[in-house]
Each structure stands twice: as structure tokens, then as C-alpha cells.
Amino acid sequence: MLQTVWVSSPGSWALQESNCHHQSKKRSWKCRFVRTIIRHPCRRHASKRSRKERMLRKIQICICFCFVSGILYEISLLSSCVFSYLPMAQHYLTPEQVLNLGKSIIFLETTERLEPPPLVSCSVESAARIYQDRPIILFMRGLTNETALDMDTSYAAFSLLSSMKNVFIFPLQMETVFQETPLLQWYNQVVPEQEKNWVHVSSDASRLALIWKYGGIYMDTDVISIRPIPQQSFLAAQKSRFSSNGIFGFPARHKFIWDCMENFVLKYNGNIWGNQGPFLMTRMLKTLCNLTDFQGTEDHSCQNISFLNPQRFYPIPYPAWSRYYQVWDKSPSFNHSYALHLWNFMNRNRKVVVAGSNTLAEKLYKTYCPTTYEDLIQNAKHRDLPGPED
């Protein structure tokens, strides 16, 4: 444990030094250590010191103070409490600086839209609340380095999310992301305008590169976090013998992710939806293990990778996705789940959370992203206000 020694005057130091002789042997080494770092002159000899020597002592004290401050700063960066005790100027940090803190939760927006809808905001907010000691990063394709993200922005979701101390919003620069990965060659050859599923394919590629470079957890922007995920290396089973790529986590430089990137390029087919996504994860996992059906709520293990039960993220399967937007007589507890995937891709009818509807999705918003829900209510009130022509 680090202790701070306050030195207010020569007399007070002499008192502290004299007290050292009355301490037990167990603490004597601490006294010697403190005297070694800062040897404050005794009062009766102070007059004999030259001005130069006194100045030298002051410089030594300043250097010691700076050294200790540097150590404390480094410890705070490595501490799990970094966001609780270290004030950060979010707008001046680069993606690399934040990602290098480790264990980031990463979201991607590969469309050009600049106003995250409520479900995206809820996903990011819920992660920020569940993982308060980890950076939550939203990469957006529509942003540029010149885009100003401040509290006065006209985009309400930016203000909402930027106000959270561990949330960061950055431009998604794919060429930079793909550097030093097998995906760079593919990216330089592909023509986005000719790709049928470019929004999805570019997202599939970006999440692999980011997790391989920096480690952490990737989540789709329609995933609501409800409790921390304990595993570090995991894939999420969407159903027995089939892996999703909507949420997964690995340490940096994990071989499985590198192999996935190589297979992405080797078997690339942008015309088949999911070929570089869940089908890629599934076929790569099958090269390592013989996948079997899940029984109950147990997880499977494949070498050093946890293959998590569908109940962890997909307790409501995709054919029943609309149940999230229905009223339940008794809401499920989701006791076996870490997060909930709301299947936004299946939501072709654009069902949304409506304040006062009492749907399951509304209850999830109230519980896990209350700030987003409050903003939803305020926006609904503004829409209901009569206009000048009324």
C-alpha cells in the first residue's frame, strides 16, 4: 500500500524522525526508507547549509514528488477503477489510447447515420452501466475526425451517451482498423458499391480486426446487457451446433480470431448473408471441436474457448423475436442470461419501444437503460405538444 508523507517544516520532520525510534522493529524499515528518500536537514545545522545546497534539496523533493505521482498515475491506468478515479478528457483521447486500456466493450455502426436510434443507445448505455470499470466504445462509419461531438450537439443520443464517463464515440476508419491483418488485402480489392450486403460484411470484418488487435468483447447494437459476462474467450451459441457472431469475446492476438480473418478472405462470398458472420464462426469452431446439442443450461468448452448456451444471449430465439414487443402476463426473469439480443435485423416492421405500452422491451429499457428510456418519454411528450398551426 502506498502512503503519503507530509513534510510541513523542519521541526515537524524532526518530530516524525524521533518518533521512529519508539516504533517496533516491524516499522523501523519504513522510517529508514522515508529518511533515505527525503533527508531533511536538522534545524541546528540549517544555517550552515549554503543556498545552493538548500536549492538542491528542494529539487530532490520535487523530483521525488513527480516520481511518486507518475507511479500513482500508471497504477490508476492499470486499475479496474480507472473510470471512477481518473478524470478523462474524452474528446482528446484517440481510439488506440482507449483500446489499449484493455477489456473494451465494442459496438459498431457501419451505416452512415449519425443519430443512433433508441435501441442502439440502450445497448451502449446498458453496457456502460453493467461494465462500469471498462471502456465502452461506439465506432460509427458516418463520423469523421472533423465531426464535433460535444454536449451541445444537435444529436440527442450523442449528448446522452457522451455524458457517461466510460463511453467513447469514435469514427470507424476501416483502412486503419484492417492494418496488419489479413483483411487489408481484401478491403483494398473489394468494391463496396458492388457489394450486396456491404453494411453487414464490413461490420463482420471490422469486429474481427478490432478484437484481434485489442481484445475485449464485441456486441451488436441490439444487445441489452443485464449482467457481466465472466468468460474471457467465448462464442455465443445461437442454437445447438450453431454460433452467432453478434457477441463474442477474446484476449488480444488470439489465434482463433486470426484464423477467422484468414478464412474470411479465403472463402469470401459477399452475396451470401452471414457467410462471413455466424457461418464463419460456426465452421471455424467445427474445425476445433465436434459440436453437440445443449442439454439444460450448461455451457460447452472447445479447447480454450467457451461455447456459451443459447440461454446466455438468445433465450427468445429469432423466430419468436416479436415477443420482445408484446405484453407478457408475467415477465421472464432471464436468470440464466448475460445479455439479450433483440433481433433488430428481423424487425422489418420497425417495431419500437413505446412509453406506457407495458411491453417486455419497454420493461427492459426501464431497468437497464433508464436514461435512454427517459429521453424516449421526453421525445414522445414533445411530439404530442400541439404545433403553432394547431
Side-chain angles (χ1 to χ4, degrees), residues 117-123 125-126 129 221-222 224 226 324-325 340 342 344 347 351-355 359-377:
L119 183 53
V120 175
S121 178
C122 184
S123 298
E125 180 188 346
S126 65
R129 291 179 180 275
T221 52
D222 55 353
I224 297 178
I226 61 177
Y324 280 114
Y325 299 92
L340 304 173
L342 269 61
N344 194 52
N347 191 0
K351 293 183 181 294
V352 296
V353 172
V354 178
T359 61
L360 177 58
E362 183 191 13
K363 292 180 178 179
L364 294 174
Y365 274 45
K366 284 182 178 180
T367 304
Y368 301 106
C369 54
T371 305
T372 297
Y373 182 70
E374 182 64 28
D375 185 67
L376 196 70
I377 294 175

Side-chain angles (χ1 to χ4, degrees), residues 220 223 236-239 242-247 308-318 324 334 337 339-343:
D220 277 349
V223 172
Q238 184 173 315
K239 59 182 180 179
F242 188 79
S243 176
S244 162
N245 77 328
I247 178 167
L308 301 185
N309 193 289
Q311 288 294 316
R312 305 297 180 220
F313 307 104
Y314 304 101
I316 297 179
Y318 77 89
Y324 280 114
F334 301 117
S337 301
L340 304 173
H341 194 289
L342 269 61
W343 303 107

Side-chain angles (χ1 to χ4, degrees), residues 68-79 86-88 93:
V68 172
S69 298
I71 292 177
L72 290 174
Y73 178 78
E74 292 296 328
I75 291 175
S76 69
L77 288 179
L78 298 175
S79 169
L86 180 63
M88 287 189 171
L93 291 174

Side-chain angles (χ1 to χ4, degrees), residues 210-216 232 249-255 257:
L210 285 166
I211 294 298
W212 183 79
K213 282 186 172 183
Y214 303 104
Q232 283 193 327
F250 287 89
R253 301 300 198 269
H254 197 284
K255 184 179 183 302
I257 299 298

Side-chain angles (χ1 to χ4, degrees), residues 38-215:
I38 308 175
R39 286 194 172 276
H40 202 288
C42 297
R43 182 179 291 274
R44 64 175 179 269
H45 297 299
S47 59
K48 298 180 181 180
R49 300 289 187 183
S50 67
R51 178 173 297 181
K52 182 176 181 181
E53 289 173 326
R54 289 197 300 271
M55 182 62 69
L56 180 61
R57 296 300 183 204
K58 292 179 180 179
I59 293 174
Q60 289 174 338
I61 292 173
C62 291
I63 292 174
C64 289
F65 177 79
C66 294
F67 177 74
V68 172
S69 298
I71 292 177
L72 290 174
Y73 178 78
E74 292 296 328
I75 291 175
S76 69
L77 288 179
L78 298 175
S79 169
S80 62
C81 301
V82 61
F83 297 108
S84 298
Y85 301 107
L86 180 63
M88 287 189 171
Q90 291 178 320
H91 305 306
Y92 298 101
L93 291 174
T94 66
E96 290 74 18
Q97 288 173 323
V98 178
L99 287 163
N100 285 331
L101 292 174
K103 297 185 177 181
S104 300
I105 311 296
I106 297 174
F107 295 89
L108 293 174
E109 176 60 75
T110 51
T111 69
E112 295 292 332
R113 65 185 177 189
L114 287 174
E115 174 64 351
L119 183 53
V120 175
S121 178
C122 184
S123 298
V124 176
E125 180 188 346
S126 65
R129 291 179 180 275
I130 295 299
Y131 303 94
Q132 296 185 23
D133 60 341
R134 301 174 70 164
I136 313 299
I137 306 176
L138 172 60
F139 285 100
M140 300 188 69
R141 180 65 176 167
L143 293 183
T144 64
N145 286 331
E146 290 74 30
T147 304
L149 294 180
D150 53 41
M151 299 304 292
D152 297 325
T153 179
S154 59
Y155 297 113
F158 284 156
S159 297
L160 187 156
L161 296 175
S162 297
S163 65
M164 299 179 183
K165 60 187 177 183
N166 59 333
V167 172
F168 302 84
I169 304 175
F170 292 124
L172 176 61
Q173 299 172 329
M174 292 186 187
E175 186 171 359
T176 300
V177 168
F178 297 143
Q179 293 291 332
E180 302 176 2
T181 76
L183 297 169
L184 182 60
Q185 181 181 0
W186 160 80
Y187 180 72
N188 288 333
Q189 294 175 349
V190 73
V191 181
E193 294 77 15
Q194 298 178 1
E195 291 293 319
K196 179 181 178 181
N197 298 299
W198 178 246
V199 169
H200 302 287
V201 168
S202 60
S203 178
D204 292 335
S206 298
R207 67 189 71 176
L208 289 173
L210 285 166
I211 294 298
W212 183 79
K213 282 186 172 183
Y214 303 104

